[in-house]
Amino acid sequence: MSGLFADLTSVAGGRDAPRPRAGGLGNVTVAELVKLVRRPANWLLLAVTVALSLTFGYLVPYAGDAGGAAGAEGGPPGAPTVATLLPAELVGNSIGGLPVFLGAIMLILGVLTVGAEYGWGTWKTLLTRGPSRLVGYAGKLLALAVATLVTVVALFAAGAVTSAVIAGVEDQPVHWPAPAELLTGVAAGWLVAAMWAALGVLLAVLLRGVALPIGLGLVWLLAVQNLLASLAAPLLDWVAELQRWLPGPNAGSLVAALGAAPATPGVEQVVGGGRAALAVAGYLVGFALLAGALLRRRDIL
């Protein structure tokens, strides 16, 4: 009876009352990773990410080139040719989609990881019988970090296979990027992917759901930031200056500095690569901290 009374008192006491813990950060992170692995939607997102990257990064450009570099003559400036699809260009081709359309999928992943807990009502169970709010939140962030890294590595692996096949078909020499260049590319892609996932987490915590955060995030990623870059920035100087500080243009500048094709949507050298990396990292930390502060202070039970 005393144990039952203690449990009821703990639940009624809110977030500041003592409660039994389900484990430390390591256990929470492992549990979150298991949840990510067991959700079919996450595997579907990974498959769609890889499929989109290969389709628009390799297959469509190769088909448009008609099987030879000469076929791209007279095409739009920066249009890919067979030479740009070979293994030597693996880094740029693998991360070129992350500033816009692949980044949108990472945002969806972030929203689903956190926002689904509101729809299912499982935040209540996690935070009343499990770890503290910040430990539970940190476990989700670490699991997302692993998921985004796996996604970026999968993009590089799929791109490596595809570019090697193209080189074989076209009887071109295979020259792979240096290991340091590959590691830099993976790190930059991971940084951009994690930033968009963190934005998804922030929207999910702010709006306490899934549908509206995904909708607003996609509108920003796929519409607003492209309209700002293509329509408003050429006409208004202050919008052009604002572009230098927004997350999307900085992500595009970072991947452009590493060899992404300028014809790819969202890829443009607005600022230098070093400054872009710092800006993307700043947004990543800022999104994560703001979402954690909201989760810590608000009563969501």
Side-chain angles (χ1 to χ4, degrees), residues 142-165:
L142 290 176
L144 266 178
V146 174
T148 51
L149 177 59
V150 169
T151 300
V152 172
V153 171
L155 292 177
F156 272 81
V161 172
T162 306
S163 62
V165 170

Side-chain angles (χ1 to χ4, degrees), residues 173-278:
V174 175
H175 300 295
W176 297 102
E181 185 180 352
L182 280 174
L183 289 175
T184 301
V186 170
W190 187 20
L191 188 64
V192 175
M195 179 193 70
W196 291 129
L199 177 58
V201 169
L202 174 59
L203 291 174
V205 173
L206 183 64
L207 301 173
R208 301 183 182 184
V210 171
L212 185 57
I214 289 178
L216 291 179
L218 293 183
V219 166
W220 172 262
L221 259 169
L222 302 179
V224 174
Q225 71 175 14
N226 287 327
L227 290 174
L228 288 174
S230 60
L231 295 181
L235 299 176
L236 301 172
D237 291 339
W238 67 269
V239 176
E241 180 61 27
L242 179 64
Q243 288 283 98
R244 297 164 58 87
W245 301 97
L246 294 178
N250 277 279
S253 297
L254 178 57
V255 301
L258 295 176
T264 306
V267 177
E268 183 181 0
Q269 194 75 51
V270 178
V271 298
R275 173 176 170 176
L278 290 176

Side-chain angles (χ1 to χ4, degrees), residues 3 48 60 83 91 93 137 141 147 174 199 207 213 215 217 243 248:
V48 170
V60 170
V91 172
N93 291 333
Y137 173 68
L141 288 185
V174 175
L199 177 58
L207 301 173
Q243 288 283 98

Side-chain angles (χ1 to χ4, degrees), residues 101-195:
F101 60 93
L102 299 186
I105 299 177
M106 296 298 96
L107 183 143
I108 293 173
L109 176 63
V111 171
L112 291 179
T113 300
V114 174
E117 307 286 3
Y118 292 96
W120 296 333
T122 45
W123 269 122
K124 180 183 297 185
T125 303
L126 175 65
L127 299 180
T128 58
R129 303 298 301 173
S132 68
R133 293 185 180 216
L134 293 184
V135 170
Y137 173 68
K140 287 186 176 294
L141 288 185
L142 290 176
L144 266 178
V146 174
T148 51
L149 177 59
V150 169
T151 300
V152 172
V153 171
L155 292 177
F156 272 81
V161 172
T162 306
S163 62
V165 170
I166 292 175
V169 170
E170 295 294 324
D171 195 23
Q172 296 290 326
V174 175
H175 300 295
W176 297 102
E181 185 180 352
L182 280 174
L183 289 175
T184 301
V186 170
W190 187 20
L191 188 64
V192 175
M195 179 193 70

